[in-house]
Amino acid sequence: MARRVQSGNSLPGAKDSQDASPGKQQLRFDAILKRLRQEGTVTVELLSAELGASMVTIRRDLDQLEHDGLLQRTHGGAVSIEPLFYEPFKNDRSFQAHLEKFSEEKRRIGRAAAALIEKGDTIALTPGTTTLEVIRGLPLNQNITIVTNTVNIAMELSKRKDLDVFVTGGHLRGDWFSLVGPTAIQSLQSMLIHTLFIGADGIDGAWGASCLSSDEANLNSAMVKLSRRRIAVVDHSKFGKVAGWRICHTSDLQMLITDTKATDEMIEPFQRAGVNVMRV
């Protein structure tokens, strides 16, 4: 009986052995996740062609990334993981309503912020829809510790086996999934935070970053005091607004990341104050 010979990218052998090196595998992982964030879905065939790896190798990569909680496998490819643990109540001031506003700008801001995180960092994030995009862009296998008082962020990160996640205690503020109050503040006191990403309801050159909740402002201010580097992540719609409760002064910020719709006039007070402004 004649033996059937496999052909094409599915043929195992020397090519698969070369693809298996840890350095090449990590590069493929990064490329796969970048494509997934851009498109929402990927196919084995397309990734094989783009990355110059066999389809057998790509399937193994996707299987590993699914095991690590970074994507969901489908027949012939994979899709990005969406939050499945909760169905938030929606009103004009709810988290879900804000999530849909300037979503593309927030995604770009979040990815730019995540790219600044260094291996071994302990980072913290204030509650918000833009800081959610920061955690969705976190790099792989970098020994990163995440400090959060936000339940939905903790739930999304629970699928990431390469991260160490610390969640504060506190009283749950339901619409925004945040934990606040004295217990939450006390749980942070022994921590050193390398980088804090600050979301805000308003940011003003004279007043600083602010939010609508006094409880959240108190907790966020405590994070500011415990952090070495403080980066505001806000879209252009937040400039010139004072939300009522100050998170921090402008002088407390080292960097501000916003989108390209923020005008020179909007960012000038922050640059004058010595804040490094990045528009993405």
Side-chain angles (χ1 to χ4, degrees):
M1 179 182 296
R3 188 177 65 179
R4 187 167 66 90
V5 178
Q6 292 179 301
S7 61
N9 280 336
S10 61
L11 181 65
K15 176 63 175 172
D16 293 328
S17 298
Q18 294 170 3
D19 292 341
S21 68
K24 288 185 178 181
Q25 184 183 55
Q26 187 62 54
L27 290 174
R28 291 195 307 275
F29 283 179
D30 292 340
I32 290 169
L33 292 173
K34 181 178 180 181
R35 167 67 70 173
L36 201 55
R37 290 175 191 130
Q38 292 171 342
E39 305 294 336
T41 182
V42 293
T43 66
V44 172
E45 186 175 3
L46 177 63
L47 290 172
S48 176
E50 286 188 347
L51 302 179
S54 74
M55 289 197 286
V56 171
T57 295
I58 296 299
R59 290 189 187 99
R60 289 172 181 161
D61 288 346
L62 296 179
D63 289 343
Q64 182 61 51
L65 290 170
E66 182 180 50
H67 178 267
D68 292 340
L70 296 167
L71 52 76
Q72 181 178 339
R73 287 286 270 120
T74 62
H75 178 71
V79 295
S80 61
I81 290 178
E82 298 295 336
L84 299 176
F85 296 106
Y86 57 91
E87 186 64 34
F89 174 75
K90 183 176 178 180
N91 59 46
D92 289 342
R93 293 182 63 178
S94 70
F95 180 91
Q96 186 69 7
H98 282 259
L99 188 63
E100 296 169 2
K101 295 178 180 178
F102 308 109
S103 58
E104 176 58 27
E105 288 87 347
K106 292 173 181 177
R107 188 193 66 80
R108 296 200 306 269
I109 293 167
R111 298 305 181 267
L116 300 174
I117 299 170
E118 299 178 356
K119 187 172 184 178
D121 272 356
T122 295
I123 71 166
L125 309 102
T126 68
T129 53
T130 308
T131 51
L132 176 63
E133 293 298 338
V134 176
I135 67 103
R136 288 176 173 173
L138 288 175
L140 288 171
N141 302 315
Q142 295 295 301
N143 192 31
I144 297 167
T145 299
I146 317 297
V147 179
T148 182
N149 71 312
T150 312
V151 175
N152 65 311
I153 284 181
M155 288 192 295
E156 289 208 21
L157 292 179
S158 67
K159 298 181 179 182
R160 289 279 302 264
K161 296 177 173 61
D162 62 323
L163 301 173
D164 186 14
V165 182
F166 175 85
V167 185
T168 71
H171 175 74
L172 178 63
R173 182 172 174 242
D175 280 357
W176 282 80
F177 311 109
S178 55
L179 298 166
V180 296
T183 302
I185 293 174
Q186 182 60 37
S187 68
L188 296 170
Q189 295 307 309
S190 61
M191 290 190 169
L192 172 62
I193 299 167
H194 295 117
T195 303
L196 171 65
F197 295 100
I198 303 169
D201 295 306
I203 191 158
D204 178 80
W207 182 254
S210 57
C211 65
L212 295 168
S213 165
S214 61
D215 286 334
E216 283 193 2
N218 288 336
L219 182 62
N220 297 347
S221 295
M223 288 184 175
V224 168
K225 294 174 183 176
L226 295 168
S227 58
R228 288 179 174 175
R229 181 171 65 161
R230 296 164 291 277
I231 302 175
V233 287
V234 292
D235 67 74
H236 67 278
S237 70
K238 307 297 177 58
F239 282 83
K241 294 182 178 180
V242 176
W245 299 94
R246 182 186 281 131
I247 297 170
C248 66
H249 294 276
T250 297
S251 58
D252 292 322
L253 299 174
Q254 281 81 40
M255 180 177 288
L256 189 160
I257 305 176
T258 187
D259 60 86
T260 53
K261 292 181 182 177
T263 65
D264 291 344
E265 183 180 5
M266 290 177 179
I267 68 172
E268 191 273 335
F270 299 93
Q271 292 176 320
R272 190 170 64 245
V275 179
N276 180 17
V277 179
M278 179 189 301
R279 287 182 282 195
V280 297

